[in-house]
Amino acid sequence: MNSPVYILGGHQTDFAKAWSRGGEDIADITRETTLGTLQAAAVEPAAVQSIHVGNAFGELQRRQAHLGALVAQVVPDLWGVPAMRHEGACASSSLAVLAAMAEIEAGRYDCVLVLGVEEFKNLSGNEASVNQNAAAWQGREGFDCTYMWPAAFGRVAQEYERRHGLDRRHLNRIAELNYANARRNPLAQTRRWQFDERSFTDDDEANPLIEPGTRRQDCGQITDGGCGVLLASAAFAADHARRTGRPLARMPRIAGWGHRNAGLRLLDKLERSQGQPYVFPHLRQTLEDAWRRAGVPGIEAVDGVETHDCFTTTEYVAIDHLGLTPPGQSWQAVEDGSIEPGGRCPVNMSGGLIGCGHPVGATGARMLLDAARQVAGEAGDMQIPGARRMQTLNIGGSCATVVSFIVEGETA
């Protein structure tokens, strides 16, 4: 990267809130996220020069599209500001961030608002589950199932078992860690959930099988929510620092990024990676691209990670692809405590998608905001002591769209 993009501030809604129960909808999520982000960044609406909205399922869940224009509808002070919507399944708001960064790097705009918004609780769980299948290759995935995504990532678990061996105790431990981390997150969907000694075992009553390879506690929590970040050029950030008295050196900045795509169909991806070290080579390339652009050698230069754990299997994939272990040996980082609070590279101090919640279109922005809070020393009870550099890993579909950001703080 020629120059960093600064994160002036951001806002996350309470992921435990079901908006439709109070007569609210995605428009209200958008309004709170927008106003909260501007307030957190101490920036007036008149300073916003462009808007990017990430959303995956607005048309299906609420029959609401054209979400770029929705922002000005609910926050009239942004009337006239150019805006657009981005869809990339679970990576939708990461794509919005990439588009905003490109505008800033090109010199087109200096202050850009990025939002991720999603509403799921207005429909039944079964209806929402069917709608989420739109992120797969409809009717062509090649395996029979009741629930597409638990089945798909169950297939990934089976692939690890076939190639390297897999002990389900390590997947159960990943779930247990993320739920425990979520208890320290005041905005997490599951912060008050209760479990017992059987919850994180293969007990068929306490942790029933959903699809082969996937049990209930393996699953991320689909929810309502929004998250926004305000991005700025170095020049705008420096002026903002003078106006607010906040030193520029203390502002989080995006120092590197990676973005790769593969095809929709999961089985094609698994077939193409046969005989290679990594199950998803393009995911590994995405991470390497982010390190290269940030000018760092690899995961050893990172203090913590916010990664995609739509299922425990996805986090298991992330661990070895990040290089925390050799390929196929993710269990080592689970057993030795590397990914726990206080470990050499804590993972998902927010609780991740399993503990914090997964409003699909908002997840990429939420990861970025939590990474920014870590390097700014503003993560509260979730804080990694001395965190200077964080990495995100956000995926859409069955690793079809992959995005990673490197976020740096004052002393990195």
Side-chain angles (χ1 to χ4, degrees):
M1 292 178 61
N2 294 326
S3 61
V5 172
Y6 286 83
I7 304 171
L8 301 187
H11 176 78
Q12 177 193 327
T13 68
D14 185 347
F15 283 4
K17 180 178 179 179
W19 290 70
S20 61
R21 293 176 187 172
E24 297 177 299
D25 62 19
I26 195 169
D28 300 286
I29 298 173
T30 301
R31 183 176 188 275
E32 180 187 316
T33 305
T34 300
L35 295 177
T37 299
L38 294 173
Q39 181 179 13
V43 169
E44 294 297 320
V48 176
Q49 300 167 338
S50 178
I51 302 168
H52 293 268
V53 181
N55 172 268
F57 300 113
E59 293 94 333
L60 296 172
Q61 285 289 135
R62 181 53 78 172
R63 301 182 66 82
Q64 180 62 65
H66 208 176
L67 297 179
L70 181 62
V71 183
Q73 184 65 49
V74 296
V75 182
D77 285 343
L78 294 172
W79 205 275
V81 178
M84 62 186 79
R85 179 261 186 106
H86 304 264
E87 186 280 317
C90 310
S92 294
S93 54
S94 285
L95 299 184
V97 170
L98 287 171
M101 290 173 62
E103 290 184 327
I104 291 169
E105 291 163 344
R108 183 176 293 180
Y109 303 117
D110 287 299
C111 181
V112 183
L113 174 65
V114 177
L115 306 174
V117 294
E118 202 77 69
E119 183 182 12
F120 276 113
K121 297 297 186 181
N122 60 310
L123 298 180
S124 71
N126 284 340
E127 289 176 286
S129 176
V130 170
N131 287 343
Q132 291 164 52
N133 293 349
W137 199 11
Q138 291 280 41
R140 302 187 186 187
E141 286 289 345
F143 48 87
D144 293 327
C145 61
T146 301
Y147 301 106
M148 170 58 66
W149 295 112
F153 285 97
R155 285 294 184 109
V156 175
Q158 293 168 347
E159 187 69 11
Y160 265 80
E161 168 63 28
R162 188 184 67 81
R163 295 190 192 189
H164 307 289
L166 178 67
D167 188 334
R168 271 207 48 87
R169 290 179 300 173
H170 299 120
L171 300 184
N172 288 332
R173 179 59 178 158
I174 287 172
E176 186 175 23
L177 285 171
N178 287 338
Y179 278 118
N181 288 344
R183 290 184 178 278
R184 295 186 291 273
N185 185 345
L187 297 174
Q189 182 188 17
T190 71
R191 60 189 183 268
R192 297 189 184 94
W193 289 20
Q194 299 296 319
F195 300 96
D196 61 32
E197 66 278 2
R198 298 182 302 151
S199 298
F200 301 105
T201 70
D202 283 358
D203 184 289
D204 287 336
E205 181 180 348
N207 192 17
L209 191 70
I210 305 299
E211 292 283 353
T214 302
R215 290 182 178 270
R216 181 168 63 193
Q217 254 66 276
D218 291 314
C219 302
Q221 306 303 322
I222 298 298
T223 189
D224 295 348
C227 188
V229 289
L230 197 67
L231 304 184
S233 67
F236 188 98
D239 182 64
H240 184 264
R242 288 190 291 270
R243 288 187 289 105
T244 61
R246 182 185 185 187
L248 181 65
R250 295 189 60 187
M251 290 185 188
R253 56 192 181 273
I254 302 173
W257 59 272
H259 171 210
R260 300 259 179 167
N261 273 72
L264 282 171
R265 189 171 182 262
L266 172 63
L267 298 183
D268 289 346
K269 291 189 278 286
L270 298 182
E271 176 63 28
R272 288 171 70 97
S273 71
Q274 296 300 317
Q276 300 189 49
Y278 294 100
V279 174
F280 296 105
H282 68 290
L283 192 160
R284 172 67 182 183
Q285 292 165 346
T286 299
L287 299 168
E288 292 173 338
D289 289 344
W291 296 326
R292 173 176 52 79
R293 290 187 173 108
V296 299
I299 194 63
E300 63 270 23
V302 174
D303 297 307
V305 171
E306 281 292 325
T307 194
H308 209 87
D309 59 321
C310 54
F311 296 90
T312 57
T313 311
T314 328
E315 183 168 330
Y316 197 85
V317 168
I319 289 169
D320 69 338
H321 286 63
L322 281 161
L324 289 170
T325 72
Q329 306 303 309
S330 299
W331 61 271
Q332 295 176 1
V334 180
E335 283 202 351
D336 68 15
S338 292
I339 64 173
E340 299 184 18
R344 63 186 170 101
C345 187
V347 173
N348 288 345
M349 291 294 287
S350 66
L353 286 65
I354 287 173
C356 181
H358 185 28
V360 172
T363 285
R366 194 278 302 162
M367 290 178 173
L368 184 63
L369 178 58
D370 275 323
R373 286 171 170 165
Q374 286 287 350
V375 302
E378 298 172 352
D381 291 341
M382 301 176 285
Q383 184 67 48
I384 299 170
R388 301 178 303 152
R389 184 180 290 114
M390 295 287 293
Q391 185 159 15
T392 71
L393 174 57
N394 186 203
I395 72 168
S398 57
C399 293
T401 300
V402 189
V403 182
S404 178
F405 295 109
I406 301 288
V407 182
E408 293 183 349
E410 182 172 13
T411 57

